[in-house]
Amino acid sequence: QEQHAAVCALLLLLLQSESNHPLAMTTEHHHPAAGGSSSSRRSPRIIPWLVRPATPHDGVAATRVLTASYSELLRPDYDEELLSRAVPYMSTPRESLLNCGTWFVVEHPETGEITGCGGWTAEAPKVKNQLDPTTTTAAAVGKLVPHLRHFACHPAWTRRGVARAIWDRTWKEIIEQLGPETTLQVYSTLSAVPFYASLGFVPQTNLNIPLDGKDLLFPATLMRREVNS
């Protein structure tokens, strides 16, 4: 169960850099029919995303987002066969996450469609690292380490600021609830390392996380950030 929770903590699978990755953008671009001016074709509209705490009723929609995100947007960094086996283990958020109050879904303000999800919990999940079997968790013994959890954006809604909206909400709450002396952690996918680095996260160690308790290992990177850094 703890390993499955850790798998669900593999975050921002589709982000690669704050400046040029689709999820780092904060505007929606409209493309009018042929004949429109070049300026109108490229005019952006900022979307005021609604970010709210998830509930158990959001489970189906969140699973849809996670499945689509993982299946399509991890392809540049992971083997196709590995993804086909791993995605079913990674795409269903646990009930505890849906009930924690600090894991969010993003709604389109006009249609109510769930376009993304993600958030944080006060303690990092324990993960057995197959690269170092003696390492079971990144958290210091006896210390709670807030952990970013299960970020994703549906591929149809990249380049529209979905992930940024989640990050802004997460960042604000961590500062308000835990103060400026808090360390953050994330089990990042290979795809997300540059994005987290742009937010001040620093790689700590590479991980091979067992998804099925046997031979299905998923490469990831533990990263850490000081909130006041």
mmCIF file with all atom_site columns, all heavy atoms in Angstrom, residues 117-134:
data_model
loop_
_atom_site.group_PDB
_atom_site.id
_atom_site.type_symbol
_atom_site.label_atom_id
_atom_site.label_alt_id
_atom_site.label_comp_id
_atom_site.label_asym_id
_atom_site.label_entity_id
_atom_site.label_seq_id
_atom_site.pdbx_PDB_ins_code
_atom_site.Cartn_x
_atom_site.Cartn_y
_atom_site.Cartn_z
_atom_site.occupancy
_atom_site.B_iso_or_equiv
_atom_site.pdbx_formal_charge
_atom_site.auth_seq_id
_atom_site.auth_comp_id
_atom_site.auth_asym_id
_atom_site.auth_atom_id
_atom_site.pdbx_PDB_model_num
ATOM 1   N N   . CYS A 1 117 ? -4.798 17.782 -11.934 1.00 0.00 ? 117 CYS A N   1
ATOM 2   C CA  . CYS A 1 117 ? -4.874 17.419 -10.523 1.00 0.00 ? 117 CYS A CA  1
ATOM 3   C C   . CYS A 1 117 ? -3.476 17.470 -9.925  1.00 0.00 ? 117 CYS A C   1
ATOM 4   O O   . CYS A 1 117 ? -2.470 17.453 -10.640 1.00 0.00 ? 117 CYS A O   1
ATOM 5   C CB  . CYS A 1 117 ? -5.479 16.023 -10.341 1.00 0.00 ? 117 CYS A CB  1
ATOM 6   S SG  . CYS A 1 117 ? -4.624 14.709 -11.261 1.00 0.00 ? 117 CYS A SG  1
ATOM 7   N N   . GLY A 1 118 ? -3.423 17.524 -8.600  1.00 0.00 ? 118 GLY A N   1
ATOM 8   C CA  . GLY A 1 118 ? -2.133 17.546 -7.914  1.00 0.00 ? 118 GLY A CA  1
ATOM 9   C C   . GLY A 1 118 ? -2.245 18.286 -6.594  1.00 0.00 ? 118 GLY A C   1
ATOM 10  O O   . GLY A 1 118 ? -3.234 18.966 -6.327  1.00 0.00 ? 118 GLY A O   1
ATOM 11  N N   . GLY A 1 119 ? -1.231 18.140 -5.769  1.00 0.00 ? 119 GLY A N   1
ATOM 12  C CA  . GLY A 1 119 ? -1.233 18.819 -4.484  1.00 0.00 ? 119 GLY A CA  1
ATOM 13  C C   . GLY A 1 119 ? -0.102 18.337 -3.604  1.00 0.00 ? 119 GLY A C   1
ATOM 14  O O   . GLY A 1 119 ? 0.984  18.032 -4.099  1.00 0.00 ? 119 GLY A O   1
ATOM 15  N N   . TRP A 1 120 ? -0.365 18.223 -2.298  1.00 0.00 ? 120 TRP A N   1
ATOM 16  C CA  . TRP A 1 120 ? 0.703  17.872 -1.364  1.00 0.00 ? 120 TRP A CA  1
ATOM 17  C C   . TRP A 1 120 ? 0.109  17.184 -0.147  1.00 0.00 ? 120 TRP A C   1
ATOM 18  O O   . TRP A 1 120 ? -1.085 17.283 0.141   1.00 0.00 ? 120 TRP A O   1
ATOM 19  C CB  . TRP A 1 120 ? 1.475  19.118 -0.945  1.00 0.00 ? 120 TRP A CB  1
ATOM 20  C CG  . TRP A 1 120 ? 0.672  20.107 -0.138  1.00 0.00 ? 120 TRP A CG  1
ATOM 21  C CD1 . TRP A 1 120 ? -0.310 20.955 -0.585  1.00 0.00 ? 120 TRP A CD1 1
ATOM 22  C CD2 . TRP A 1 120 ? 0.761  20.338 1.272   1.00 0.00 ? 120 TRP A CD2 1
ATOM 23  N NE1 . TRP A 1 120 ? -0.824 21.705 0.445   1.00 0.00 ? 120 TRP A NE1 1
ATOM 24  C CE2 . TRP A 1 120 ? -0.191 21.353 1.610   1.00 0.00 ? 120 TRP A CE2 1
ATOM 25  C CE3 . TRP A 1 120 ? 1.558  19.811 2.288   1.00 0.00 ? 120 TRP A CE3 1
ATOM 26  C CZ2 . TRP A 1 120 ? -0.355 21.829 2.898   1.00 0.00 ? 120 TRP A CZ2 1
ATOM 27  C CZ3 . TRP A 1 120 ? 1.387  20.289 3.587   1.00 0.00 ? 120 TRP A CZ3 1
ATOM 28  C CH2 . TRP A 1 120 ? 0.445  21.295 3.879   1.00 0.00 ? 120 TRP A CH2 1
ATOM 29  N N   . THR A 1 121 ? 0.972  16.473 0.560   1.00 0.00 ? 121 THR A N   1
ATOM 30  C CA  . THR A 1 121 ? 0.629  15.916 1.861   1.00 0.00 ? 121 THR A CA  1
ATOM 31  C C   . THR A 1 121 ? 1.749  16.267 2.827   1.00 0.00 ? 121 THR A C   1
ATOM 32  O O   . THR A 1 121 ? 2.881  16.553 2.419   1.00 0.00 ? 121 THR A O   1
ATOM 33  C CB  . THR A 1 121 ? 0.438  14.391 1.810   1.00 0.00 ? 121 THR A CB  1
ATOM 34  O OG1 . THR A 1 121 ? 1.589  13.780 1.222   1.00 0.00 ? 121 THR A OG1 1
ATOM 35  C CG2 . THR A 1 121 ? -0.793 14.026 1.001   1.00 0.00 ? 121 THR A CG2 1
ATOM 36  N N   . ALA A 1 122 ? 1.446  16.240 4.111   1.00 0.00 ? 122 ALA A N   1
ATOM 37  C CA  . ALA A 1 122 ? 2.393  16.711 5.118   1.00 0.00 ? 122 ALA A CA  1
ATOM 38  C C   . ALA A 1 122 ? 3.568  15.766 5.317   1.00 0.00 ? 122 ALA A C   1
ATOM 39  O O   . ALA A 1 122 ? 4.589  16.161 5.873   1.00 0.00 ? 122 ALA A O   1
ATOM 40  C CB  . ALA A 1 122 ? 1.687  16.935 6.453   1.00 0.00 ? 122 ALA A CB  1
ATOM 41  N N   . GLU A 1 123 ? 3.427  14.537 4.855   1.00 0.00 ? 123 GLU A N   1
ATOM 42  C CA  . GLU A 1 123 ? 4.499  13.565 5.047   1.00 0.00 ? 123 GLU A CA  1
ATOM 43  C C   . GLU A 1 123 ? 4.757  12.817 3.748   1.00 0.00 ? 123 GLU A C   1
ATOM 44  O O   . GLU A 1 123 ? 3.831  12.438 3.038   1.00 0.00 ? 123 GLU A O   1
ATOM 45  C CB  . GLU A 1 123 ? 4.128  12.567 6.145   1.00 0.00 ? 123 GLU A CB  1
ATOM 46  C CG  . GLU A 1 123 ? 5.250  11.593 6.486   1.00 0.00 ? 123 GLU A CG  1
ATOM 47  C CD  . GLU A 1 123 ? 4.891  10.695 7.650   1.00 0.00 ? 123 GLU A CD  1
ATOM 48  O OE1 . GLU A 1 123 ? 3.748  10.781 8.140   1.00 0.00 ? 123 GLU A OE1 1
ATOM 49  O OE2 . GLU A 1 123 ? 5.754  9.915  8.083   1.00 0.00 ? 123 GLU A OE2 1
ATOM 50  N N   . ALA A 1 124 ? 6.021  12.590 3.452   1.00 0.00 ? 124 ALA A N   1
ATOM 51  C CA  . ALA A 1 124 ? 6.380  11.852 2.241   1.00 0.00 ? 124 ALA A CA  1
ATOM 52  C C   . ALA A 1 124 ? 6.064  10.378 2.411   1.00 0.00 ? 124 ALA A C   1
ATOM 53  O O   . ALA A 1 124 ? 6.259  9.815  3.484   1.00 0.00 ? 124 ALA A O   1
ATOM 54  C CB  . ALA A 1 124 ? 7.875  12.013 1.946   1.00 0.00 ? 124 ALA A CB  1
ATOM 55  N N   . PRO A 1 125 ? 5.564  9.725  1.370   1.00 0.00 ? 125 PRO A N   1
ATOM 56  C CA  . PRO A 1 125 ? 5.330  8.283  1.457   1.00 0.00 ? 125 PRO A CA  1
ATOM 57  C C   . PRO A 1 125 ? 6.645  7.529  1.519   1.00 0.00 ? 125 PRO A C   1
ATOM 58  O O   . PRO A 1 125 ? 7.667  7.978  1.000   1.00 0.00 ? 125 PRO A O   1
ATOM 59  C CB  . PRO A 1 125 ? 4.585  7.972  0.148   1.00 0.00 ? 125 PRO A CB  1
ATOM 60  C CG  . PRO A 1 125 ? 5.045  9.036  -0.785  1.00 0.00 ? 125 PRO A CG  1
ATOM 61  C CD  . PRO A 1 125 ? 5.234  10.271 0.050   1.00 0.00 ? 125 PRO A CD  1
ATOM 62  N N   . LYS A 1 126 ? 6.617  6.378  2.172   1.00 0.00 ? 126 LYS A N   1
ATOM 63  C CA  . LYS A 1 126 ? 7.805  5.541  2.230   1.00 0.00 ? 126 LYS A CA  1
ATOM 64  C C   . LYS A 1 126 ? 7.952  4.767  0.923   1.00 0.00 ? 126 LYS A C   1
ATOM 65  O O   . LYS A 1 126 ? 6.999  4.189  0.427   1.00 0.00 ? 126 LYS A O   1
ATOM 66  C CB  . LYS A 1 126 ? 7.734  4.579  3.411   1.00 0.00 ? 126 LYS A CB  1
ATOM 67  C CG  . LYS A 1 126 ? 7.755  5.276  4.757   1.00 0.00 ? 126 LYS A CG  1
ATOM 68  C CD  . LYS A 1 126 ? 7.668  4.268  5.891   1.00 0.00 ? 126 LYS A CD  1
ATOM 69  C CE  . LYS A 1 126 ? 7.695  4.975  7.244   1.00 0.00 ? 126 LYS A CE  1
ATOM 70  N NZ  . LYS A 1 126 ? 7.589  4.010  8.361   1.00 0.00 ? 126 LYS A NZ  1
ATOM 71  N N   . VAL A 1 127 ? 9.148  4.761  0.407   1.00 0.00 ? 127 VAL A N   1
ATOM 72  C CA  . VAL A 1 127 ? 9.405  4.113  -0.873  1.00 0.00 ? 127 VAL A CA  1
ATOM 73  C C   . VAL A 1 127 ? 10.618 3.218  -0.745  1.00 0.00 ? 127 VAL A C   1
ATOM 74  O O   . VAL A 1 127 ? 11.673 3.646  -0.281  1.00 0.00 ? 127 VAL A O   1
ATOM 75  C CB  . VAL A 1 127 ? 9.674  5.166  -1.975  1.00 0.00 ? 127 VAL A CB  1
ATOM 76  C CG1 . VAL A 1 127 ? 10.002 4.479  -3.286  1.00 0.00 ? 127 VAL A CG1 1
ATOM 77  C CG2 . VAL A 1 127 ? 8.479  6.074  -2.133  1.00 0.00 ? 127 VAL A CG2 1
ATOM 78  N N   . LYS A 1 128 ? 10.489 1.989  -1.168  1.00 0.00 ? 128 LYS A N   1
ATOM 79  C CA  . LYS A 1 128 ? 11.646 1.106  -1.202  1.00 0.00 ? 128 LYS A CA  1
ATOM 80  C C   . LYS A 1 128 ? 12.379 1.322  -2.522  1.00 0.00 ? 128 LYS A C   1
ATOM 81  O O   . LYS A 1 128 ? 11.813 1.197  -3.595  1.00 0.00 ? 128 LYS A O   1
ATOM 82  C CB  . LYS A 1 128 ? 11.245 -0.365 -1.065  1.00 0.00 ? 128 LYS A CB  1
ATOM 83  C CG  . LYS A 1 128 ? 12.445 -1.298 -0.900  1.00 0.00 ? 128 LYS A CG  1
ATOM 84  C CD  . LYS A 1 128 ? 12.004 -2.700 -0.541  1.00 0.00 ? 128 LYS A CD  1
ATOM 85  C CE  . LYS A 1 128 ? 11.439 -2.736 0.867   1.00 0.00 ? 128 LYS A CE  1
ATOM 86  N NZ  . LYS A 1 128 ? 12.469 -2.417 1.897   1.00 0.00 ? 128 LYS A NZ  1
ATOM 87  N N   . ASN A 1 129 ? 13.635 1.679  -2.423  1.00 0.00 ? 129 ASN A N   1
ATOM 88  C CA  . ASN A 1 129 ? 14.456 1.998  -3.588  1.00 0.00 ? 129 ASN A CA  1
ATOM 89  C C   . ASN A 1 129 ? 15.267 0.769  -3.986  1.00 0.00 ? 129 ASN A C   1
ATOM 90  O O   . ASN A 1 129 ? 16.162 0.352  -3.254  1.00 0.00 ? 129 ASN A O   1
ATOM 91  C CB  . ASN A 1 129 ? 15.379 3.179  -3.247  1.00 0.00 ? 129 ASN A CB  1
ATOM 92  C CG  . ASN A 1 129 ? 16.311 3.533  -4.387  1.00 0.00 ? 129 ASN A CG  1
ATOM 93  O OD1 . ASN A 1 129 ? 16.187 3.023  -5.493  1.00 0.00 ? 129 ASN A OD1 1
ATOM 94  N ND2 . ASN A 1 129 ? 17.242 4.430  -4.111  1.00 0.00 ? 129 ASN A ND2 1
ATOM 95  N N   . GLN A 1 130 ? 14.986 0.224  -5.154  1.00 0.00 ? 130 GLN A N   1
ATOM 96  C CA  . GLN A 1 130 ? 15.686 -0.972 -5.581  1.00 0.00 ? 130 GLN A CA  1
ATOM 97  C C   . GLN A 1 130 ? 17.156 -0.696 -5.928  1.00 0.00 ? 130 GLN A C   1
ATOM 98  O O   . GLN A 1 130 ? 17.959 -1.607 -5.993  1.00 0.00 ? 130 GLN A O   1
ATOM 99  C CB  . GLN A 1 130 ? 14.971 -1.592 -6.789  1.00 0.00 ? 130 GLN A CB  1
ATOM 100 C CG  . GLN A 1 130 ? 13.595 -2.151 -6.457  1.00 0.00 ? 130 GLN A CG  1
ATOM 101 C CD  . GLN A 1 130 ? 13.654 -3.340 -5.512  1.00 0.00 ? 130 GLN A CD  1
ATOM 102 O OE1 . GLN A 1 130 ? 14.714 -3.888 -5.271  1.00 0.00 ? 130 GLN A OE1 1
ATOM 103 N NE2 . GLN A 1 130 ? 12.522 -3.730 -4.968  1.00 0.00 ? 130 GLN A NE2 1
ATOM 104 N N   . LEU A 1 131 ? 17.514 0.570  -6.140  1.00 0.00 ? 131 LEU A N   1
ATOM 105 C CA  . LEU A 1 131 ? 18.916 0.900  -6.370  1.00 0.00 ? 131 LEU A CA  1
ATOM 106 C C   . LEU A 1 131 ? 19.699 0.872  -5.067  1.00 0.00 ? 131 LEU A C   1
ATOM 107 O O   . LEU A 1 131 ? 20.910 0.721  -5.057  1.00 0.00 ? 131 LEU A O   1
ATOM 108 C CB  . LEU A 1 131 ? 19.033 2.284  -7.021  1.00 0.00 ? 131 LEU A CB  1
ATOM 109 C CG  . LEU A 1 131 ? 18.458 2.406  -8.435  1.00 0.00 ? 131 LEU A CG  1
ATOM 110 C CD1 . LEU A 1 131 ? 18.676 3.815  -8.959  1.00 0.00 ? 131 LEU A CD1 1
ATOM 111 C CD2 . LEU A 1 131 ? 19.072 1.385  -9.376  1.00 0.00 ? 131 LEU A CD2 1
ATOM 112 N N   . ASP A 1 132 ? 18.981 1.052  -3.949  1.00 0.00 ? 132 ASP A N   1
ATOM 113 C CA  . ASP A 1 132 ? 19.590 1.004  -2.623  1.00 0.00 ? 132 ASP A CA  1
ATOM 114 C C   . ASP A 1 132 ? 18.559 0.444  -1.659  1.00 0.00 ? 132 ASP A C   1
ATOM 115 O O   . ASP A 1 132 ? 17.793 1.185  -1.053  1.00 0.00 ? 132 ASP A O   1
ATOM 116 C CB  . ASP A 1 132 ? 20.030 2.407  -2.187  1.00 0.00 ? 132 ASP A CB  1
ATOM 117 C CG  . ASP A 1 132 ? 20.658 2.399  -0.790  1.00 0.00 ? 132 ASP A CG  1
ATOM 118 O OD1 . ASP A 1 132 ? 20.839 1.299  -0.216  1.00 0.00 ? 132 ASP A OD1 1
ATOM 119 O OD2 . ASP A 1 132 ? 20.953 3.485  -0.282  1.00 0.00 ? 132 ASP A OD2 1
ATOM 120 N N   . PRO A 1 133 ? 18.473 -0.868 -1.510  1.00 0.00 ? 133 PRO A N   1
ATOM 121 C CA  . PRO A 1 133 ? 17.427 -1.496 -0.705  1.00 0.00 ? 133 PRO A CA  1
ATOM 122 C C   . PRO A 1 133 ? 17.387 -1.036 0.745   1.00 0.00 ? 133 PRO A C   1
ATOM 123 O O   . PRO A 1 133 ? 16.384 -1.220 1.426   1.00 0.00 ? 133 PRO A O   1
ATOM 124 C CB  . PRO A 1 133 ? 17.770 -2.993 -0.792  1.00 0.00 ? 133 PRO A CB  1
ATOM 125 C CG  . PRO A 1 133 ? 18.568 -3.127 -2.046  1.00 0.00 ? 133 PRO A CG  1
ATOM 126 C CD  . PRO A 1 133 ? 19.360 -1.846 -2.138  1.00 0.00 ? 133 PRO A CD  1
ATOM 127 N N   . THR A 1 134 ? 18.460 -0.421 1.238   1.00 0.00 ? 134 THR A N   1
ATOM 128 C CA  . THR A 1 134 ? 18.453 0.055  2.619   1.00 0.00 ? 134 THR A CA  1
ATOM 129 C C   . THR A 1 134 ? 17.710 1.379  2.755   1.00 0.00 ? 134 THR A C   1
ATOM 130 O O   . THR A 1 134 ? 17.412 1.823  3.857   1.00 0.00 ? 134 THR A O   1
ATOM 131 C CB  . THR A 1 134 ? 19.889 0.233  3.143   1.00 0.00 ? 134 THR A CB  1
ATOM 132 O OG1 . THR A 1 134 ? 20.546 1.261  2.390   1.00 0.00 ? 134 THR A OG1 1
ATOM 133 C CG2 . THR A 1 134 ? 20.671 -1.063 3.008   1.00 0.00 ? 134 THR A CG2 1
#
